[in-house]
Amino acid sequence: MQHKVKVTVLDKKLYPELQAQYCAVPESGACPCYNVGDEYIFERYGSADDFWHMGLNTLTHCTGNESLTAGGSKMPHCSEAWDAISRYIYTGLQGGSIMRGWMKDERVMITCCSDGTRPVIFKIERLDYFAVWFEGDLADTECERIRSLLGKVEGVTDVVFRKETNGEFAEVYVEPSVATEEILDAIKGQKSFRIVRVD
């Protein structure tokens, strides 16, 4: 099983009375680096390793100006935010429990950056998936057939197909209880494609 981490900006707070009292620029305003609704995906599979680049190019959905948003193509995550979220991202990428016993789902954490006058609140989620590799290129009809078969497995939440230089694979997103055998059983015996391996 492989793991990604999704980070979502849930909210931005502003405490103008604290900025007026303590900040060198008393009207600094809300954090300019993030927008409510921004989403990021961190990956660590194959040649991808987003963690070691402080999340540069992890922005997948932006509700503001992408070129001015942290984690986009122009700048990595803000250091104050990165200090707060990186430990959870790293844990999730390794398949660990992000916050067992505190959150309803141990794969989720709600946290915020350490800027006390304008904190940004983040939701961090571990996404579990199997990388199912196929021989050769799959036709669109084969992809739809695979997606349909896997969609019948309880605990499969999504199927996304990706092409790499060394082949094509499906990211099969699952609940933690789904075993490799359940994925293989769902698509075995098909003559139009052959599974090479499951990571």
Side-chain angles (χ1 to χ4, degrees):
M1 184 177 288
Q2 304 300 315
H3 313 280
K4 293 185 184 184
V5 173
K6 180 179 180 181
V7 177
T8 305
V9 177
L10 293 181
D11 203 356
K12 290 172 32 167
K13 299 296 185 184
L14 175 62
Y15 300 101
E17 68 284 0
L18 294 177
Q19 286 185 348
Q21 186 174 358
Y22 296 106
C23 291
V25 180
E27 285 137 14
S28 297
C31 173
C33 299
Y34 298 96
N35 312 286
V36 174
D38 288 347
E39 295 178 352
Y40 305 85
I41 296 289
F42 286 81
E43 184 173 5
R44 200 166 193 200
Y45 181 73
S47 61
D49 195 345
D50 300 320
F51 184 83
W52 298 113
H53 304 288
M54 285 184 65
L56 188 65
N57 286 316
T58 56
L59 182 66
T60 59
H61 175 75
C62 183
T63 61
N65 184 335
E66 190 272 340
S67 65
L68 301 176
T69 302
S73 60
K74 305 282 186 200
M75 64 177 171
H77 284 271
C78 160
S79 60
E80 292 296 318
W82 187 248
D83 186 51
I85 66 176
S86 62
R87 70 194 82 188
Y88 302 116
I89 293 169
Y90 189 79
T91 300
L93 287 172
Q94 304 304 315
S97 169
I98 295 177
M99 192 49 68
R100 179 179 296 150
W102 176 245
M103 306 301 289
K104 292 179 181 177
D105 184 340
E106 69 176 28
R107 298 171 297 159
V108 175
M109 179 60 183
I110 307 300
T111 191
C112 66
C113 76
S114 56
D115 186 335
T117 71
R118 56 183 188 183
V120 177
I121 300 170
F122 299 94
K123 177 182 181 184
I124 302 168
E125 305 170 77
R126 187 187 84 210
L127 307 175
D128 302 323
Y129 71 99
F130 291 104
V132 182
W133 288 84
F134 299 93
E135 183 176 81
D137 291 332
L138 297 172
D140 290 344
T141 54
E142 291 170 319
C143 291
E144 286 309 311
R145 176 79 178 135
I146 293 165
R147 186 176 281 114
S148 173
L149 291 168
L150 290 171
K152 295 175 183 173
V153 177
E154 186 175 345
V156 170
T157 59
D158 197 9
V159 179
V160 177
F161 289 89
R162 291 180 55 178
K163 289 188 180 189
E164 298 287 333
T165 54
N166 58 337
E168 186 167 5
F169 69 98
E171 293 177 338
V172 183
Y173 291 89
V174 296
E175 296 297 326
S177 59
V178 177
T180 309
E181 293 75 25
E182 294 175 82
I183 300 301
L184 292 173
D185 287 347
I187 53 179
K188 71 180 179 184
Q190 302 296 313
K191 294 181 179 167
S192 60
F193 58 84
R194 190 173 83 78
I195 299 168
V196 177
R197 72 177 196 270
V198 177
D199 293 337

